[in-house]
């Protein structure tokens, strides 16, 4: 089994920054994709950004140029640096890990990010 533990959410003013972290533990296949999704009230969960074990990245258009995803393979940890935050970034952010083309798919418990003045 794989466990994902997120940290770093909170309340921030518009224009501010936050850094999310997600540490994976358990039986982790070395070839994997880790990512961040978010779900705002009344909306579907959407991809924010993901990164492969080879460090190829993918971003939602809404966060390009503001968010940066990175990972530390030695620590099985993925990070999301969020800058220039907007109220519309408010959501629960979920860490995700996929292996074997998505056949195995794991989720963290979620961390709340609120952008408000």
């Amino acid at each position: 089994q794989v466990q994902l533990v997120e940290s770093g959410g909170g309340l921030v003013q518009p224009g501010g920054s936050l850094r999310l972290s997600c540490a994976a533990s358990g039986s982790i296949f070395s070839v994997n994709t880790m990512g961040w999704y978010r779900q705002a009230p009344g909306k579907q969960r959407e991809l924010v950004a993901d990164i492969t074990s080879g460090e190829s990245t993918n971003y939602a258009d809404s966060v390009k140029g503001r968010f940066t995803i990175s990972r530390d393979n030695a620590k099985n940890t993925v990070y999301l640096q969020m800058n220039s935050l907007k109220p519309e970034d408010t959501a629960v952010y979920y860490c995700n890990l996929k292996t074997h083309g998505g056949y195995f798919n794991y989720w963290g418990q979620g961390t709340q990010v609120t952008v408000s003045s």
Side-chain angles (χ1 to χ4, degrees):
Q1 264 293 10
V2 174
Q3 296 79 41
L4 302 174
V5 178
E6 300 121 330
S7 60
L11 173 64
V12 64
Q13 291 187 341
S17 298
L18 280 176
R19 188 190 195 211
L20 305 183
S21 300
C22 171
S25 61
S27 301
I28 302 167
F29 189 65
S30 59
V31 178
N32 60 68
T33 297
M34 296 187 76
W36 293 93
Y37 289 70
R38 66 187 180 188
Q39 188 166 19
K43 294 188 176 182
Q44 289 190 329
R45 191 173 296 189
E46 62 176 2
L47 173 69
V48 176
D50 61 24
I51 182 168
T52 68
S53 45
E55 303 200 17
S56 294
T57 59
N58 178 44
Y59 293 92
D61 287 343
S62 59
V63 307
K64 283 181 181 176
R66 300 189 297 123
F67 291 10
T68 302
I69 191 168
S70 60
R71 63 187 290 164
D72 184 334
N73 288 331
K75 295 181 180 179
N76 290 318
T77 299
V78 64
Y79 306 96
L80 185 68
Q81 178 66 43
M82 305 185 292
N83 298 329
S84 302
L85 282 160
K86 304 175 181 180
E88 50 264 43
D89 295 317
T90 296
V92 178
Y93 284 69
Y94 295 92
C95 180
N96 175 264
L97 185 149
K98 293 184 179 66
T99 68
H100 297 85
Y103 185 82
F104 296 100
N105 196 13
Y106 304 96
W107 294 95
Q109 79 284 359
T111 185
Q112 178 70 46
V113 171
T114 302
V115 185
S116 175
S117 54

